[in-house]
Amino acid sequence: MDTLRGHDIDGDRDDFDYADDAAIESPPAIITNERRMQVRAYNYWASLLKDRALPSIEDLQPELLEDFGPYSVLLDFSVGIDNPAVIYMGAALRQECEIAGSISRIGDVPPRSLLSRLTDHYLQIIANAAPIGFEAEFVNQRGADLLYRGILMPFSSDGETIDFVFGVINWKEAASRAETDALEREVSEALGFSLNGFAADPPVLDLTVSDMIEMPVPDAGAPLADWLAMARDSAEQARAGEARSHIALYRAVGLAYDFALAAEQSPEDYADLLTDAGIKTQARSPMTAIVKLVFGAAYDKTRITEYATALDHARAQGMGAGALAAYLAAYAGGLKALVRDTRAARRAAMPARPDRSRTVREAIRIAPALAPQAIATDEDGLAVVVARREIDGSLAIVAALPEGSALGRKVMIAAMH
């Protein structure tokens, strides 16, 4: 699975110890093995696939999953993509979100609760038709800073359509507000400029901002390979255990951008580096190749996409060399927030999606009637059909579900209850 981090990492390591995750202690309720929970959830999903493209929703019983069931939620998209139904919510997740009564739709989830963040991710399932891993941090309804990580997995009632999504989520409470305020002041003072009302991202300063700014870079006329080597060294430091901080990561992303600017001045050398690495450019996302060169083509695909988004933003803003790292440190919410805001701006600029439900209903309204004898039935002579009320009050059959479909069986069961 492309976006689930952890398959190539020791399962005993902490779930939140990547370069841009704050180094904090787990609350008593969640001690260790957060990453392994996501991996176990994915392995469970994969075990239900068998020889199908999507696992059947009939095989899923979240209430019986003692391991990660309490941290899970099951969404039903058959009632609508924009506001799916919540048909199961684990006890631990319900407690974190402070939900006492019943919740019927995702739109009914309390604002600023952990579950309200799912809307940022579940639509990716429809587009990718595969499990999606995600992570972020935010301030919840109690004013606590949470770092959360989870996985959303698609299920189907007919083997083809994704109409259910099963999510497993874990979280940690980050440092106190007083601690992050102190770190913000340190970042602001080290950068030596006004943040103009924006709160600096509160990193764990394994490398200080001064270290980041003062690290040497190649001369302006240096070969492009030197720029790449410097960016790769910084990326390796960001991944290393002794430099696990936002600052180290921001410097690495900043140097990747500097390398991109240098590559524009040496297109032939850049083409040779891409060929040597076996990396192809993408017309719609040219910065992806830059990030792969610096961080490695096998690096986590979600991170590659995030870093490329940051580089695209810097290029669109016309930033010069050496500017992006400080910009990320000063951006309210840091790299994650920049990526979120950039994607939100892109979505806002896109034309609205057509209302699929309205389109289908209109097609049914004008569809020609079908002859009853033309409808296929199962071995018991049963079929699930769609009928339309005609002007004279009669019902006309205008569509039918495939003979023996799993969805048809579920409809029959629901109709008899």
Side-chain angles (χ1 to χ4, degrees):
M1 183 184 60
D2 290 343
T3 54
L4 174 64
R5 289 174 289 280
H7 289 292
D8 57 347
I9 298 174
D10 183 356
D12 289 331
R13 287 177 55 193
D14 180 48
D15 189 39
F16 293 90
D17 60 358
Y18 286 91
D20 59 344
D21 291 322
I24 56 178
E25 295 298 324
S26 303
I30 303 177
I31 306 302
T32 58
N33 299 344
E34 286 87 358
R35 176 182 296 112
R36 290 201 293 175
M37 177 180 288
Q38 315 310 325
V39 174
R40 289 195 301 271
Y42 171 71
N43 290 338
Y44 170 74
W45 177 86
S47 72
L48 299 179
L49 276 175
K50 300 176 182 178
D51 59 348
R52 300 169 295 201
L54 295 166
S56 172
I57 188 61
E58 296 180 358
D59 295 335
L60 177 63
Q61 295 180 290
E63 68 277 5
L64 301 182
L65 300 173
E66 297 181 0
D67 182 5
F68 44 82
Y71 301 91
S72 68
V73 62
L74 180 59
L75 304 179
D76 180 357
F77 283 78
S78 65
V79 299
I81 293 179
D82 294 334
N83 192 19
V86 179
I87 58 178
Y88 177 81
M89 187 185 308
L93 197 54
R94 178 181 291 272
Q95 181 178 2
E96 160 57 32
C97 297
E98 298 181 330
I99 297 174
S102 62
I103 292 290
S104 60
R105 297 291 186 98
I106 195 70
D108 300 328
V109 169
R112 302 305 309 168
S113 67
L114 186 58
L115 271 179
S116 69
R117 311 292 289 180
L118 282 184
T119 55
D120 295 338
H121 311 287
Y122 66 67
L123 290 179
Q124 298 177 49
I125 289 285
I126 307 300
N128 291 275
I132 294 293
F134 56 90
E135 62 178 38
E137 53 187 285
F138 83 117
V139 179
N140 70 3
Q141 72 277 15
R142 297 184 300 276
D145 291 325
L146 291 188
L147 294 95
Y148 64 91
R149 173 167 289 160
I151 178 174
L152 295 175
M153 298 158 285
F155 282 80
S156 177
S157 60
D158 60 6
E160 298 179 358
T161 305
I162 298 174
D163 43 12
F164 293 88
V165 170
F166 183 51
V168 176
I169 313 170
N170 254 335
W171 58 91
K172 283 186 176 182
E173 188 167 332
S176 69
R177 186 71 257 172
E179 292 173 317
T180 55
D181 285 345
L183 287 172
E184 288 172 6
R185 287 193 298 272
E186 185 174 349
V187 171
S188 180
E189 292 169 0
L191 288 173
F193 61 83
S194 171
L195 296 182
N196 296 323
F198 289 96
D201 190 57
V204 178
L205 297 178
D206 297 318
L207 289 178
T208 67
V209 178
S210 297
D211 291 335
M212 179 183 73
I213 300 299
E214 295 173 3
M215 284 184 177
V217 296
D219 296 332
L224 186 60
D226 289 355
W227 286 95
L228 178 58
M230 174 63 74
R232 283 177 170 173
D233 288 346
S234 185
E236 184 60 34
Q237 290 176 20
R239 287 195 297 264
E242 67 272 9
R244 203 164 54 231
S245 72
H246 288 100
I247 292 298
L249 176 66
Y250 295 169
R251 171 172 168 77
V253 174
L255 283 174
Y257 178 66
D258 294 349
F259 168 69
L261 295 179
E264 292 180 358
Q265 305 303 315
S266 303
E268 294 182 0
D269 292 342
Y270 177 51
D272 290 341
L273 291 173
L274 289 173
T275 300
D276 292 343
I279 296 173
K280 296 182 179 179
T281 58
Q282 303 176 21
R284 63 184 181 87
S285 181
M287 290 299 184
T288 297
I290 294 288
V291 176
K292 287 183 177 180
L293 271 176
V294 173
F295 288 85
Y299 195 60
D300 180 88
K301 289 182 172 57
T302 297
R303 297 295 178 91
I304 288 176
T305 301
E306 290 177 347
Y307 302 166
T309 299
L311 268 59
D312 285 333
H313 176 82
R315 197 70 187 92
Q317 297 295 317
M319 292 186 196
L324 180 55
Y327 181 85
L328 291 173
Y331 197 91
L335 174 64
K336 292 286 187 183
L338 172 65
V339 172
R340 178 200 64 211
D341 294 345
T342 300
R343 290 174 177 172
R346 289 175 181 172
R347 287 194 297 268
M350 293 174 62
R353 293 184 179 181
D355 187 335
R356 185 168 179 265
S357 175
R358 182 179 297 276
T359 301
V360 170
R361 292 177 69 88
E362 178 63 21
I364 292 175
R365 190 183 67 80
I366 62 175
L370 301 176
Q373 58 269 27
I375 304 299
T377 60
D378 62 17
E379 63 274 11
D380 295 320
L382 301 176
V384 176
V385 301
V386 178
R388 179 184 62 221
R389 179 75 67 185
E390 303 290 44
I391 296 177
D392 61 3
S394 63
L395 288 176
I397 299 174
V398 295
L401 292 181
E403 177 186 353
S405 71
L407 180 58
R409 292 194 297 271
K410 292 178 71 69
V411 171
M412 289 181 185
I413 293 172
M416 297 308 295
H417 280 261

